[in-house]
Amino acid sequence: MRRLACIACLLLGAAWFVQDARAATGVGPVAFDGIAWGTPLKVLEGSMAPAARQPESDTVRFFRRKDKEYRPAGLQPVPTVYAFYQGALCGVYTQPQTAETAESMLTSLRLEYGQGERWSRFGVSYAQWRLGRLVVTHKADRNTGKFRIGYVHLPSDVAVKDAESFIEMLDEPAAKRGYW
C-alpha cells in the first residue's frame, strides 16, 4: 500500500511538473474542446450552426456547435461561441452562467498557466495569459454580474506583435452580439 501511495505521489508530481513547464514555455493548447485552431469552417459545417441572426461579415463569422456543448471538467455546460476569421477557427468565447462556474474556470486557468496578467477597469476585472499565439482572457463584470472567457488564437498571417489589434478586431463584433 505504501509503495502504491509513493507511485501515485510521483505521478502527481510529474503531472504538476509538465503543467508548470507548459506554463513556463508559454505554449497553449493546440485545440479547444477537440477542435484544432485554424480548422476550416468547411470541415465543421455539419456540426456548426450560425450563432447570430444579424448579417455576418465576410471576415468574422460566429457559430455554435450543434453536436455537443462545451463542458469544463466537472461543471455544467457553458454557452460557447466559436469565431471564424477568414473561414478558420481563431476564437472561442465562453459564458459561464454563475460566479462559481467562472471562479472554477479561472482557478483551472491559473493552475494550468500561472497567475497571468491582472487588471481592473470600470468595475470589470480581467486576467490574461499570453501563450505563444494563443491569448486567453477571463473577464468578470461586477456591474452586470456576467462572466466571459475568451480564447483567441492568432492566425499564421498575423504577427504576434499585432496581437492586440487582431484581438480588438475580433472582439468588436463579438461584443456587439453579446458574446464578449
Side-chain angles (χ1 to χ4, degrees):
M1 189 59 116
R2 189 177 225 185
R3 184 176 164 149
L4 185 60
C6 184
I7 290 172
C9 286
L10 286 172
L11 289 173
L12 184 62
W16 187 263
F17 174 76
V18 168
Q19 283 183 343
D20 281 351
R22 195 162 109 182
T25 59
V27 176
V30 296
F32 182 89
D33 200 26
I35 302 175
W37 297 113
T39 299
L41 177 58
K42 289 178 183 180
V43 172
L44 302 168
E45 280 183 314
S47 63
M48 295 283 181
R53 293 178 187 237
Q54 299 95 340
E56 301 279 350
S57 75
D58 290 334
T59 307
V60 180
R61 297 180 65 198
F62 298 95
F63 290 83
R64 294 187 190 276
R65 286 181 84 167
K66 294 189 294 189
D67 59 342
K68 75 180 224 179
E69 296 176 303
Y70 173 57
R71 183 184 293 263
L75 299 174
Q76 294 295 317
V78 176
T80 304
V81 174
Y82 297 80
F84 290 83
Y85 170 75
Q86 295 182 344
L89 179 66
C90 70
V92 175
Y93 297 93
T94 66
Q95 303 167 330
Q97 299 297 293
T98 66
E100 295 80 21
T101 300
E103 186 62 32
S104 179
M105 291 175 75
L106 176 60
T107 298
S108 293
L109 289 168
R110 286 182 174 155
L111 286 173
E112 192 161 356
Y113 304 124
Q115 290 299 309
E117 179 185 352
R118 295 183 283 177
W119 71 95
S120 292
R121 188 178 317 144
F122 306 114
V124 181
S125 299
Y126 298 87
Q128 188 175 77
W129 297 265
R130 293 177 182 274
L131 309 161
R133 300 193 69 76
L134 180 68
V135 178
V136 181
T137 306
H138 181 283
K139 178 172 149 179
D141 189 333
R142 285 183 291 170
N143 303 311
T144 64
K146 293 185 178 182
F147 306 93
R148 304 280 195 270
I149 301 174
Y151 302 80
V152 175
H153 190 272
L154 301 176
S156 58
D157 64 336
V158 176
V160 174
K161 68 180 174 91
D162 299 327
E164 288 303 317
S165 61
F166 180 79
I167 291 169
E168 285 178 23
M169 182 276 308
L170 196 64
D171 287 351
E172 184 179 342
K176 285 181 182 175
R177 291 177 172 87
Y179 310 142
W180 185 239

